[in-house]
Amino acid sequence: MKKKEVRAGRKSFLVRLREEKYLQFMALCGVVWMLIFNYIPMYGILIGFKKNFFITTPLFSKKFWTSPWADHFGFQHFLTFFHDEDFLTIMGNTLGISLLKLLINFPIPIIFALLLNEVRNAQFKKWIQTITYMPHFLSWVVLGGILTTWLGESGLFNEILIGMGIMKEGVSFLAYPKYFWPIVIISDLWKEVGWNAIIYLAAISGIDQEMYEAAKVDGASRWKQIWTITLPSIAPTITILFILAVGGLLNSNFDQIFVLHNPLNASRSNVIDIYVYQSAMRGMRYSYASAIGLFKSVIAFILLFGANQVTKKLNDTSLL
């Protein structure tokens, strides 16, 4: 009996494979792409444990394998980074910017989606959505140039502040470290708030409308409906995105920081990604930069796993 069931299972699998051959081919292409661009490059992690790595050395060669390993069982580059005089500054800037984005820029799209969902004028709603989505489709190279111009001594913001009597003369905001974090937080919010709200709006649109009708019959106000129906219904979506956001705490958005970074604000803009770029591209310290990148990835995995476990215990929602 069992042999017949196994044969039937194999037959059904082959039949399904033949019937879904085009879908299976598309899935196979995705798997191959992931292997080539996500898994095979992980072999390059070994660079961070080598004493010296030259860009002309082929990774899959005998010369790479026979090159000497770094001191302290291959962990010399990690120890060098931990003892670097700028280590605390780099980690402080990275965590400071990322935590502020998590505390400010994560909940605002949720609030924006809830408010936008309450708008009953469809034309006005589409107009608001278009305005808020538009900055997302501009690269940080373009937005960086715009912000640099607006924040210059004779830029738009200085003209507005001087015209309102708040300031007497223009200031180059990007030249002062104390302004850098607010500029990064606000500009990131301006660029992504509308786009990030799309996911929450999609989750809200999937809520059963009969729940709202029943709440209205019971006399619940619109605020009460948001608090008791909308938020609990989209809580799993919020939780998953929060886990991913926590996992990316050490990613300070390299593109944004890079275009706004300059020597004058380096004390508040020098984050891990900028430090890795400068070490590799300018200092030619490829092994050292690879070690720092690996360190960041390990910390990101720990944060992701920890956030996943905490949310799983709190509200039984997790990635796995």
Side-chain angles (χ1 to χ4, degrees):
M1 190 69 181
K2 291 183 178 179
K3 291 183 178 180
K4 292 182 179 180
E5 292 178 356
V6 171
R7 290 176 181 174
R10 289 177 180 175
K11 185 177 180 181
S12 62
F13 172 76
L14 294 175
V15 170
R16 190 171 70 253
L17 187 65
R18 186 171 62 253
E19 292 176 349
E20 301 175 353
K21 56 184 178 182
Y22 298 111
L23 290 176
Q24 298 292 346
F25 177 74
M26 292 174 62
L28 181 62
C29 290
V31 172
V32 172
W33 181 91
M34 186 173 293
L35 288 173
I36 294 174
F37 293 100
N38 290 74
Y39 285 92
I40 293 178
M42 292 177 72
Y43 172 79
I45 290 174
L46 293 175
I47 296 172
F49 299 93
K50 291 290 185 177
K51 191 169 186 179
N52 293 303
F53 174 77
F54 300 97
I55 198 168
T56 55
T57 304
L59 286 178
F60 298 93
S61 66
K62 185 178 179 180
K63 184 178 180 181
F64 174 75
W65 274 107
T66 55
S67 61
W69 296 91
D71 297 335
H72 297 92
F73 304 100
F75 289 92
Q76 179 61 50
H77 300 304
F78 298 92
L79 297 175
T80 302
F81 177 58
F82 297 151
H83 290 90
D84 193 291
E85 59 181 5
D86 295 327
F87 175 75
L88 292 179
T89 301
I90 293 168
M91 292 302 296
N93 290 336
T94 304
L95 292 174
I97 292 173
S98 298
L99 286 173
L100 285 174
K101 285 185 177 181
L102 183 64
L103 294 174
I104 299 173
N105 293 10
F106 181 79
I108 288 181
I110 302 173
I111 298 171
F112 177 72
L114 292 173
L115 295 175
L116 195 60
N117 185 62
E118 296 300 315
V119 176
R120 293 295 176 256
N121 189 320
Q123 187 173 2
F124 179 72
K125 186 176 181 179
K126 290 181 180 179
W127 182 70
I128 293 295
Q129 286 179 314
T130 302
I131 293 175
T132 54
Y133 295 170
M134 197 176 297
H136 170 79
F137 298 99
L138 298 176
S139 69
W140 274 114
V141 176
V142 176
L143 289 179
I146 295 173
L147 288 173
T148 302
T149 304
W150 283 358
L151 297 170
E153 290 188 14
S154 57
L156 175 65
F157 286 102
N158 277 297
E159 292 183 3
I160 293 174
L161 294 174
I162 293 173
M164 295 174 64
I166 298 175
M167 297 175 58
K168 294 182 179 180
E169 57 182 10
V171 174
S172 181
F173 290 99
L174 288 175
Y176 292 87
K178 63 180 180 180
Y179 296 128
F180 187 79
W181 286 14
I183 291 172
V184 169
I185 303 303
I186 295 172
S187 61
D188 182 74
L189 182 64
W190 167 52
K191 185 177 187 295
E192 302 295 345
V193 64
W195 182 259
N196 291 338
I198 292 177
I199 300 176
Y200 302 112
L201 287 171
I204 292 172
S205 65
I207 300 175
D208 188 357
Q209 296 300 311
E210 292 184 0
M211 298 173 65
Y212 291 104
E213 296 296 332
K216 290 178 182 178
V217 172
D218 293 337
S221 62
R222 295 177 73 172
W223 166 251
K224 195 72 174 179
Q225 293 174 36
I226 292 174
W227 190 254
T228 58
I229 299 175
T230 309
L231 277 175
S233 298
I234 66 173
T237 303
I238 296 174
T239 301
I240 296 299
L241 293 177
F242 177 77
I243 294 172
L244 297 175
V246 171
L249 273 178
L250 294 186
N251 293 324
S252 304
N253 193 343
F254 172 78
D255 295 343
Q256 180 191 21
I257 304 295
F258 183 75
V259 297
L260 299 177
H261 167 86
N262 62 57
L264 297 176
N265 59 37
S267 62
R268 302 300 295 275
S269 63
N270 195 15
V271 297
I272 290 181
D273 291 335
I274 296 295
Y275 186 73
V276 169
Y277 169 80
Q278 292 177 340
S279 298
M281 298 295 106
R282 297 181 182 179
M284 303 298 177
R285 303 169 68 186
Y286 300 111
S287 296
Y288 182 63
S290 298
I292 301 173
L294 178 59
F295 161 75
K296 190 184 80 168
S297 299
V298 170
I299 298 299
F301 174 78
I302 294 173
L303 290 172
L304 183 66
F305 181 78
N308 186 71
Q309 293 300 111
V310 171
T311 56
K312 188 176 183 178
K313 290 183 178 180
L314 290 177
N315 59 8
D316 200 27
T317 302
S318 61
L319 292 174
L320 298 174

